[in-house]
Amino acid sequence: MTLPFILASNLVLIAAIIGLVHWLGRSVTARLESEDGARALFLAEYPAAAVVETVIAVAGDGALLRLEGGRAIGLLRAQGAHWLVRLIEPSSFGGVSQVGCGRIRFRLADFAAPHVALDLGDPALAALWCSRLRALRVVPAIPRRRPLELVP
Amino acid sequence: MMNSAVELPDAVTIATPIFVALVVLEAIATRYRWVKGSYETRDTATSLLMGFGSLIAGLLFAWIGVDAILYAYRFHVFEIGFGWGAFAVAFVLDDFVYYWVHRIGHRSRWFWASHVVHHSSQHFNLSTALRQTWTGPLNGLFVLKIPLALLGFPPALLFFVAGLNLVYQFFIHTEAVGRLPRWIEAVFNTPSHHRVHHGRDAHYLDANYAGAFIVWDRLFGTFTPEQDGLPLHYGLVRNLGTFNPLRVAVHEFIPIAVDLVQPGLTLGQRVGYLFAPPGWSHDGSRMTTDDLKRAAAERAKRPLAAE
């Protein structure tokens, strides 16, 4: 067998397995059921955080959480069947790239999670959270000995 | 004893159809809940594409380690050859070396930047076994195998047993198998032990580095048994927000580069960002796995202290 044939047959097998997994109904995205659920998911990753307010995306595929002190915002975003959970601090916020029609899209200074897009369903709500995110840039970060990131 | 020109097959190539068949079988069996486990389409796609990319990276770069071992063998001390005894001893010693390669791969950030790819899925299934690094052949850890060649184990034998070891490890990436008989769990790395290794919960971090024999972890104090009452979540302490294979492949190298070019660091601090344990920082603003474990242990004590 030649190398090109081996590589091509590998790609065909990979495509076939991906197709099978999709056909088996395994392409379902994680969904948030409630604000309490969102809070619990976030606190499981950042147990030292104090959540003040939560907004869940229309599709349930993400949430933003206002935290006590206003120096960071919590983020939940569906990552397949699981969740991406991040603490957005001034140093990790890369700026809002788009806001409108209830949608908000922003960048993170995070190579492994560069963009986040959430549909909050309400233009006023999106604008409010957009302003909270933008405000992070003018909040001086307080140096901490220990970050909030504590996996249980 | 066979002659020194003997050609040994590549165990991974031979086993690939079995890998494919078992991934398909496990995906179906978990879908209908015949066995424990879960698959997700994009996660599976990423795992398989990382495996494919790893194959390409091997074709491009594996020669570096191969040539180093072939060169070292020119200076071998003993004529060990290809007998059954040599095969058995080579398998055990290669597994011993694998333990240390794997342990270093978790405990030093430069090597972790390659190995982290394998831990980047939040699922634990047979496709996760195929989620392999693209940069491993370049990280330099092949040097730990050179002593075996210098000792006199023929390179072909070393490559063969290393392939067998990888094949063995494919089968332990599953939730479908619970606990095996006690004597097997005592000696061999098993799905139960390896679930612990892929756990991101603080109580399971940095444990069970074994390839085939869990005895190395028992011997060197890194063994942690799977405990039924404790939560077990898979993936990274800080999970990825992408399924893009290119980002997955290099996602830890980028922050390393960012840390290295920070102004005002001493040379020692820059070396720390490259080789110290993942999570190390010059100002203590981040947490290593040791810090995470300590913090989790302290938190677990608090309710008792309050009583």
Side-chain angles (χ1 to χ4, degrees), chain B residues 118-141:
Chain B
H118 179 61
H119 286 267
S120 62
S121 171
Q122 295 194 57
H123 294 262
F124 186 73
N125 54 45
L126 291 172
S127 81
T128 312
L130 305 175
R131 183 180 283 234
Q132 292 293 333
T133 174
W134 296 359
T135 54
L138 299 171
N139 72 13
L141 274 179

Side-chain angles (χ1 to χ4, degrees), chain A residues 3 6-8 10-11 13-14 17-29 45-47 77 79-87 92 109-115 144-152, chain B residues 16 20 23-24 27-28 30-32 38-42 44-45 48-49 52 55-56 59 122-123 200-203 237-243 246-247 250-251 254-255 283-287 291-292 295-296 299:
Chain A
L3 184 62
I6 292 171
L7 296 179
N10 264 280
L11 284 174
L13 277 174
I14 287 169
I17 292 172
I18 294 167
L20 172 74
V21 175
H22 177 72
W23 181 74
L24 288 169
R26 304 288 87 186
S27 301
V28 179
T29 301
E45 300 282 326
Y46 299 97
R77 197 201 66 196
Q79 179 66 19
H82 292 280
W83 291 96
L84 168 75
V85 187
R86 287 285 192 272
L87 188 71
S92 57
D110 184 342
F111 187 77
H115 300 288
R144 281 178 272 120
R145 173 66 181 87
R146 283 284 176 262
L148 289 171
E149 317 185 12
L150 300 176
V151 172
Chain B
T16 296
V20 171
V23 167
V24 167
I28 294 169
T30 55
R31 165 64 182 85
Y32 295 105
S38 66
Y39 275 75
E40 197 273 331
T41 308
R42 282 165 292 178
T44 306
L48 299 178
L49 289 170
F52 182 75
L55 176 71
I56 304 285
L59 291 170
Q122 295 194 57
H123 294 262
R200 63 186 293 265
D201 308 279
H203 44 269
V237 167
R238 185 179 164 86
N239 275 315
L240 305 189
T242 180
F243 290 114
L246 292 170
R247 285 191 182 273
V250 298
H251 76 266
I254 303 297
D283 57 1
S285 61
R286 304 177 193 172
M287 298 180 88
D291 295 329
L292 288 166
R299 249 194 334 276

Side-chain angles (χ1 to χ4, degrees), chain B residues 163-186:
Chain B
L164 273 188
N165 202 315
L166 283 180
V167 171
Y168 176 86
Q169 289 186 51
F170 171 81
F171 297 103
I172 60 177
H173 289 83
T174 184
E175 292 185 280
V177 177
R179 306 268 165 78
L180 296 171
R182 189 175 292 180
W183 72 269
I184 296 177
E185 297 282 349

Side-chain angles (χ1 to χ4, degrees), chain A residues 18-114:
Chain A
I18 294 167
L20 172 74
V21 175
H22 177 72
W23 181 74
L24 288 169
R26 304 288 87 186
S27 301
V28 179
T29 301
R31 290 279 179 273
L32 288 167
E33 298 293 332
S34 66
E35 290 186 7
D36 284 345
R39 195 176 294 119
L41 270 173
F42 184 77
L43 292 177
E45 300 282 326
Y46 299 97
V51 179
V52 176
E53 183 186 351
T54 305
V55 62
I56 296 180
V58 173
D61 59 349
L64 292 168
L65 301 95
R66 189 159 68 90
L67 308 178
E68 204 172 74
R71 287 186 162 77
I73 288 175
L75 167 71
L76 292 171
R77 197 201 66 196
Q79 179 66 19
H82 292 280
W83 291 96
L84 168 75
V85 187
R86 287 285 192 272
L87 188 71
I88 309 172
E89 296 176 287
S91 60
S92 57
F93 180 60
V96 174
S97 53
Q98 190 185 341
V99 61
C101 304
R103 292 173 186 275
I104 182 167
R105 182 178 166 85
F106 55 93
R107 296 182 301 275
L108 297 176
D110 184 342
F111 187 77

Side-chain angles (χ1 to χ4, degrees), chain B residues 86-158:
Chain B
F87 164 77
V89 174
F91 187 83
V92 173
L93 290 181
D94 174 76
D95 194 59
F96 173 73
V97 171
Y98 177 86
Y99 169 86
W100 287 104
V101 167
H102 194 189
R103 188 166 171 176
I104 293 167
H106 276 260
R107 301 295 294 160
S108 174
R109 196 182 180 195
W110 169 251
F111 304 107
W112 172 243
S114 291
H115 184 59
V116 64
V117 167
H118 179 61
H119 286 267
S120 62
S121 171
Q122 295 194 57
H123 294 262
F124 186 73
N125 54 45
L126 291 172
S127 81
T128 312
L130 305 175
R131 183 180 283 234
Q132 292 293 333
T133 174
W134 296 359
T135 54
L138 299 171
N139 72 13
L141 274 179
F142 61 81
V143 297
L144 294 189
K145 299 226 171 181
I146 285 177
L148 296 182
L150 289 173
L151 212 54
F153 289 99
L157 184 60
L158 292 176

